[in-house]
Amino acid sequence: MNDKPSNQDQAVSDWWSTDIIEMEPGIIKYRGHAIEDLIGKISFPQMIWLMTRGSLPSDAQAKLLEAALVAAVDHGPQAPSIAIARMAATCGVGLNSAMASGLNVLGDVHGGAGEQAVELYHDIKATIDQGETLEKATALLRFVE
């Protein structure tokens, strides 16, 4: 019996390979970290950071991500976009249609603050890159409606 994988087997294996996870019998690694080294030792926000960024966060980065995740759940199931999706589902449409209904109401007022926040952060960084302190960079911001 030949233990060497066929070209087709190797192609399938390569297609499923990622830099995020290594999984073989007896081995599960996320971004190079064995799962047994992570369980009980890092927080859920730290795990999200590792999976999306490729490295473990500093304590400050982990706290910031945790704060963002907590702030993101402020509306719960009563947010307008969620209520619209739920209403669409009760009308008998499929899951994709119900989700699309909720997504269609996202804009600058509801759901769009993330994009505006990123623009704000870029403005602060640009000001710091010009030699200003963080305190000065944030004090110089002007909010335009």
Side-chain angles (χ1 to χ4, degrees):
M1 180 175 194
N2 186 359
D3 288 337
K4 184 177 177 185
S6 69
N7 287 343
Q8 183 178 2
D9 289 342
Q10 188 62 49
V12 169
S13 176
D14 290 347
W15 189 82
W16 281 102
S17 291
T18 72
D19 290 336
I20 298 172
I21 187 168
E22 176 187 344
M23 188 176 291
E24 299 175 22
I27 298 173
I28 301 176
K29 290 184 178 180
Y30 295 102
R31 301 284 192 171
H33 298 270
I35 188 68
E36 62 269 18
D37 295 337
L38 299 171
I39 295 173
K41 297 178 182 135
I42 67 169
S43 67
F44 187 63
Q46 288 172 310
M47 187 66 185
I48 292 172
W49 187 283
L50 173 63
M51 297 294 287
T52 58
R53 302 291 306 255
S55 61
L56 288 169
S58 67
D59 288 342
Q61 290 168 327
K63 287 179 184 178
L64 179 61
L65 179 56
E66 183 174 15
L69 290 170
V70 170
V73 298
D74 66 334
H75 291 342
Q78 299 306 321
S81 55
I82 294 172
I84 290 166
R86 291 175 67 194
M87 180 60 72
T90 63
C91 293
V93 301
L95 178 61
N96 287 344
S97 296
M99 290 177 64
S101 297
L103 290 171
N104 281 331
V105 299
L106 296 177
D108 288 343
V109 174
H110 176 71
E115 186 175 332
Q116 294 163 341
V118 170
E119 289 176 14
L120 176 69
Y121 303 146
H122 282 291
D123 290 345
I124 293 170
K125 183 181 181 314
T127 304
I128 291 170
D129 289 346
Q130 293 174 2
E132 295 293 347
T133 64
L134 175 62
E135 292 76 18
K136 186 95 172 194
T138 54
L140 295 172
L141 294 174
R142 297 182 187 188
F143 298 96
V144 180
E145 291 186 26

